[in-house]
Amino acid sequence: TKNKEITDSIVYAKNIQQGILPDTSQFSTYFSDGFVYFQPKDIVSGDFYWALDEDEHFFFAVVDCTGHGVPGAFVSIVANDALKQAVSTTASKNPADVLNTLNSLIEEAFQNSEKTSLKDGMDMGLCVLNKNTGELKFAGAYNPMWLINKDPSLEVQSQMEVIDESIGSYYLHEIPANKQPIGKFEHRSKFSQSELQLKKGDTIYLFS
């Protein structure tokens, strides 16, 4: 009886979490074969996908929060709201600046977490697509972005090294992320970003 009551409660919580996730049709609006694969490990998830359409920009992210199941899902609710706030309060709309703002919001939200052993936070990749020009900007906290095309080298403005790997007649380009999370971190530095021009046939992946 206890197990059924707990499970029923978590299943209901899943409906709440599903309610805050964006409509996946947004991705296919700007990417011809856009898709989302979302498979929670324990009914509710500490990972989530996120999107926001704002003027000429389309923001989208994949976020991996601390923990799994119910604890991770709690953090994901906080992270979802903080992401919206970070975008609305960041004038530049650059993903690196958004992550810097988001980090401050998350640290403030969990400012009392030193009372526990839990280091609340998240890893993530955040993209900003200019809908008019096709320019893509990326910034990540541990999680990189992959771009696959048929070009052996990628024209990208980045402060970090892009890794290129051959896959048959295609090339996988790993756009790096900063080696730090969103949340409390001892050796904190400002996030950097990469900028590139998307071309027809380019395929990009964000993942947890």
Side-chain angles (χ1 to χ4, degrees), residues 59-72:
F59 298 79
F60 57 100
V62 170
V63 187
D64 181 357
C65 296
T66 302
H68 299 283
V70 174

Side-chain angles (χ1 to χ4, degrees), residues 17-27 35-40 45-52 59-64 76 80 83 125 206 208:
Q17 187 177 48
Q18 289 281 356
I20 69 169
L21 294 174
D23 186 345
T24 56
S25 65
Q26 290 186 72
F27 299 100
F35 74 95
V36 173
Y37 178 76
F38 179 64
Q39 184 63 55
S45 177
D47 296 6
F48 69 98
Y49 54 96
W50 180 88
L52 179 67
F59 298 79
F60 57 100
V62 170
V63 187
D64 181 357
S76 77
N80 187 286
L83 254 172
L206 294 180
S208 65

Side-chain angles (χ1 to χ4, degrees), residues 137-151:
K137 297 180 180 179
F138 168 80
Y142 277 126
N143 290 358
M145 180 185 83
W146 287 353
L147 188 150
I148 298 175
N149 60 18
K150 292 190 174 183
D151 296 329

Side-chain angles (χ1 to χ4, degrees), residues 12-110:
Y12 188 81
K14 174 186 177 181
N15 296 332
I16 297 174
Q17 187 177 48
Q18 289 281 356
I20 69 169
L21 294 174
D23 186 345
T24 56
S25 65
Q26 290 186 72
F27 299 100
S28 55
T29 298
Y30 304 111
F31 300 98
S32 58
D33 296 315
F35 74 95
V36 173
Y37 178 76
F38 179 64
Q39 184 63 55
K41 176 178 177 288
D42 300 309
I43 305 178
V44 290
S45 177
D47 296 6
F48 69 98
Y49 54 96
W50 180 88
L52 179 67
D53 216 334
E54 185 180 87
D55 300 326
E56 73 271 24
H57 299 112
F58 179 56
F59 298 79
F60 57 100
V62 170
V63 187
D64 181 357
C65 296
T66 302
H68 299 283
V70 174
F74 269 89
V75 178
S76 77
I77 300 295
V78 176
N80 187 286
D81 291 338
L83 254 172
K84 294 178 183 177
Q85 186 179 349
V87 170
S88 66
T89 57
T90 303
S92 74
K93 306 307 179 186
N94 287 324
D97 295 330
V98 171
L99 290 192
N100 289 326
T101 302
L102 175 64
N103 184 71
S104 298
L105 293 172
I106 292 298
E107 285 190 348
E108 182 179 348
F110 294 109

